[in-house]
Amino acid sequence: MGRILAIDYGRKRSGLAVTDPLKIIANALTTIPTHELLSFILDYVKKEKVETIVIGEPKDMHNNPSESSRYIEPFVKQLSKALPDMEIKRFDERFTSRMAFQTMLDAGLGKKQRQNKALVDTISATLILQSYMESEEIKRNRQ
């Protein structure tokens, strides 16, 4: 069994989250400068068995791709080319940044910690991964 790796792609930096090998728990992994993201992922999948990569798909309120999509698509193409046998999925990431901020408030983090954009990115990636895992569980239960 392999892990699921999730990416909250950003223009400057990207948050990463990963499951445990049994795919039970979503954990924050790290935040990487986006220009280093591809090499980090290629290195990571050499060390860890990853079966699926989930990339947040930004959408607007009408379920259309948002402005940010134009930055993500070239990366998705590069990743697909570099890892042709890897299952790469897109998953709706609407509201994850807002939910990440709320999670930080609920956890009682101070103002200085809540301004840490890297922390917001890793929490967002974890929320994307957790939501993806829940949606896959719902699909399995419907079958």
Side-chain angles (χ1 to χ4, degrees):
M1 278 187 140
R3 299 173 187 267
I4 302 170
L5 177 69
I7 303 167
D8 178 35
Y9 187 91
R11 289 177 68 186
K12 293 181 182 178
R13 77 192 152 271
S14 297
L16 297 165
V18 67
T19 64
D20 60 294
L22 297 175
K23 295 186 284 252
I24 297 171
I25 300 170
N27 297 297
L29 181 60
T30 191
T31 303
I32 296 291
T34 298
H35 69 275
E36 298 173 13
L37 183 59
L38 184 61
S39 61
F40 178 88
I41 291 171
L42 295 177
D43 205 38
Y44 187 82
V45 300
K46 287 179 187 173
K47 297 174 189 168
E48 298 288 341
K49 186 168 177 15
V50 174
E51 68 180 45
T52 305
I53 297 175
V54 177
I55 303 171
E57 184 171 32
K59 294 186 175 189
D60 66 18
M61 298 307 291
H62 301 290
N63 206 29
N64 297 315
S66 76
E67 174 77 18
S68 304
S69 294
R70 67 185 175 130
Y71 301 107
I72 298 171
E73 288 308 317
F75 172 75
V76 173
K77 287 178 183 170
Q78 282 183 312
L79 187 60
S80 297
K81 189 174 181 177
L83 298 170
D85 297 328
M86 179 67 65
E87 179 177 36
I88 298 173
K89 294 189 172 183
R90 303 298 304 276
F91 192 77
D92 189 351
E93 68 170 32
R94 275 180 288 191
F95 308 117
T96 54
S97 292
R98 190 173 296 145
M99 289 168 51
F101 186 75
Q102 186 60 51
T103 299
M104 294 167 79
L105 282 173
D106 294 345
L109 296 181
K111 184 176 182 178
K112 191 152 186 98
Q113 290 172 303
R114 290 193 311 263
Q115 292 173 338
N116 180 346
K117 303 275 191 220
L119 182 57
V120 173
D121 292 339
T122 55
I123 293 172
S124 294
T126 307
L127 290 169
I128 290 167
L129 182 53
Q130 187 64 46
S131 297
Y132 171 78
M133 291 167 56
E134 289 169 2
S135 75
E136 290 297 300
E137 181 66 26
I138 290 168
K139 287 178 191 175
R140 279 192 297 276
N141 290 337
R142 287 185 183 161
Q143 295 176 352

